[in-house]
Short mmCIF file of all heavy atoms in Angstrom, two decimals:
data_model
loop_
_atom_site.label_atom_id
_atom_site.label_comp_id
_atom_site.label_asym_id
_atom_site.label_seq_id
_atom_site.Cartn_x
_atom_site.Cartn_y
_atom_site.Cartn_z
N ALA C 470 0.98 1.35 -1.36
CA ALA C 470 0.79 2.16 -0.17
C ALA C 470 1.40 3.56 -0.34
O ALA C 470 2.39 3.75 -1.04
CB ALA C 470 1.43 1.46 1.03
N ILE C 471 0.78 4.53 0.33
CA ILE C 471 1.25 5.91 0.32
C ILE C 471 1.85 6.23 1.68
O ILE C 471 1.18 6.08 2.71
CB ILE C 471 0.12 6.89 -0.01
CG1 ILE C 471 -0.52 6.55 -1.36
CG2 ILE C 471 0.64 8.32 0.00
CD1 ILE C 471 0.43 6.64 -2.53
N GLY C 472 3.10 6.65 1.69
CA GLY C 472 3.79 6.92 2.94
C GLY C 472 4.05 8.39 3.20
O GLY C 472 3.25 9.26 2.83
N VAL C 473 5.19 8.67 3.81
CA VAL C 473 5.53 10.02 4.25
C VAL C 473 5.56 10.99 3.07
O VAL C 473 5.99 10.65 1.97
CB VAL C 473 6.89 9.98 4.99
CG1 VAL C 473 8.04 9.64 4.04
CG2 VAL C 473 7.15 11.26 5.74
N PHE C 474 5.05 12.20 3.31
CA PHE C 474 4.98 13.25 2.30
C PHE C 474 4.26 12.80 1.03
O PHE C 474 4.54 13.30 -0.07
CB PHE C 474 6.38 13.79 1.94
CG PHE C 474 7.10 14.42 3.11
CD1 PHE C 474 8.27 13.86 3.60
CD2 PHE C 474 6.59 15.55 3.73
CE1 PHE C 474 8.94 14.44 4.69
CE2 PHE C 474 7.25 16.13 4.81
CZ PHE C 474 8.42 15.58 5.29
N GLY C 475 3.36 11.85 1.15
CA GLY C 475 2.58 11.39 0.01
C GLY C 475 3.34 10.55 -0.98
O GLY C 475 2.87 10.32 -2.10
N LYS C 476 4.49 10.02 -0.58
CA LYS C 476 5.29 9.21 -1.49
C LYS C 476 4.68 7.81 -1.65
O LYS C 476 4.22 7.21 -0.68
CB LYS C 476 6.73 9.09 -0.97
CG LYS C 476 7.50 10.40 -0.97
CD LYS C 476 8.92 10.19 -0.42
CE LYS C 476 9.70 11.50 -0.41
NZ LYS C 476 11.08 11.29 0.15
N GLU C 477 4.73 7.30 -2.88
CA GLU C 477 4.17 5.98 -3.16
C GLU C 477 5.21 4.90 -2.90
O GLU C 477 6.34 4.97 -3.36
CB GLU C 477 3.71 5.90 -4.61
CG GLU C 477 3.01 4.58 -4.96
CD GLU C 477 2.55 4.53 -6.41
OE1 GLU C 477 3.42 4.39 -7.30
OE2 GLU C 477 1.34 4.66 -6.63
N ASN C 478 4.79 3.87 -2.16
CA ASN C 478 5.66 2.71 -1.94
C ASN C 478 5.76 1.90 -3.23
O ASN C 478 4.87 1.95 -4.08
CB ASN C 478 5.08 1.83 -0.83
CG ASN C 478 5.46 2.32 0.55
OD1 ASN C 478 6.37 1.81 1.17
ND2 ASN C 478 4.73 3.32 1.04
N PRO C 479 6.80 1.11 -3.39
CA PRO C 479 6.96 0.33 -4.62
C PRO C 479 6.01 -0.86 -4.72
O PRO C 479 5.83 -1.41 -5.80
CB PRO C 479 8.42 -0.15 -4.57
CG PRO C 479 8.78 -0.11 -3.13
CD PRO C 479 8.01 1.03 -2.54
N ARG C 480 5.38 -1.26 -3.57
CA ARG C 480 4.53 -2.45 -3.60
C ARG C 480 3.30 -2.27 -2.73
O ARG C 480 3.21 -1.36 -1.93
CB ARG C 480 5.32 -3.69 -3.14
CG ARG C 480 6.38 -4.08 -4.15
CD ARG C 480 7.37 -5.11 -3.66
NE ARG C 480 8.51 -5.06 -4.59
CZ ARG C 480 9.55 -4.25 -4.43
NH1 ARG C 480 9.63 -3.46 -3.38
NH2 ARG C 480 10.50 -4.23 -5.34
N ASN C 481 2.36 -3.18 -2.91
CA ASN C 481 1.12 -3.19 -2.15
C ASN C 481 1.38 -3.49 -0.67
O ASN C 481 2.31 -4.21 -0.32
CB ASN C 481 0.22 -4.29 -2.76
CG ASN C 481 -1.06 -4.49 -2.00
OD1 ASN C 481 -1.15 -5.38 -1.17
ND2 ASN C 481 -2.05 -3.67 -2.28
N ALA C 482 0.54 -2.91 0.19
CA ALA C 482 0.67 -3.15 1.64
C ALA C 482 -0.18 -4.34 2.04
O ALA C 482 -1.41 -4.27 2.01
CB ALA C 482 0.22 -1.91 2.41
N PRO C 483 0.44 -5.47 2.39
CA PRO C 483 -0.35 -6.62 2.84
C PRO C 483 -0.92 -6.37 4.23
O PRO C 483 -0.45 -5.49 4.97
CB PRO C 483 0.68 -7.75 2.86
CG PRO C 483 1.98 -7.06 3.09
CD PRO C 483 1.87 -5.73 2.41
N SER C 484 -1.90 -7.14 4.61
CA SER C 484 -2.47 -7.02 5.96
C SER C 484 -1.41 -7.35 7.01
O SER C 484 -0.59 -8.24 6.83
CB SER C 484 -3.65 -7.98 6.10
OG SER C 484 -4.12 -7.99 7.43
N ILE C 485 -1.48 -6.61 8.12
CA ILE C 485 -0.59 -6.92 9.24
C ILE C 485 -1.18 -8.03 10.10
O ILE C 485 -0.47 -8.66 10.90
CB ILE C 485 -0.30 -5.66 10.08
CG1 ILE C 485 0.91 -5.87 10.99
CG2 ILE C 485 -1.51 -5.26 10.92
CD1 ILE C 485 2.20 -6.08 10.25
#
Side-chain angles (χ1 to χ4, degrees):
I471 302 298
V473 68
F474 298 116
K476 294 179 180 179
E477 185 180 73
N478 277 261
R480 291 169 197 89
N481 176 263
S484 174
I485 196 64

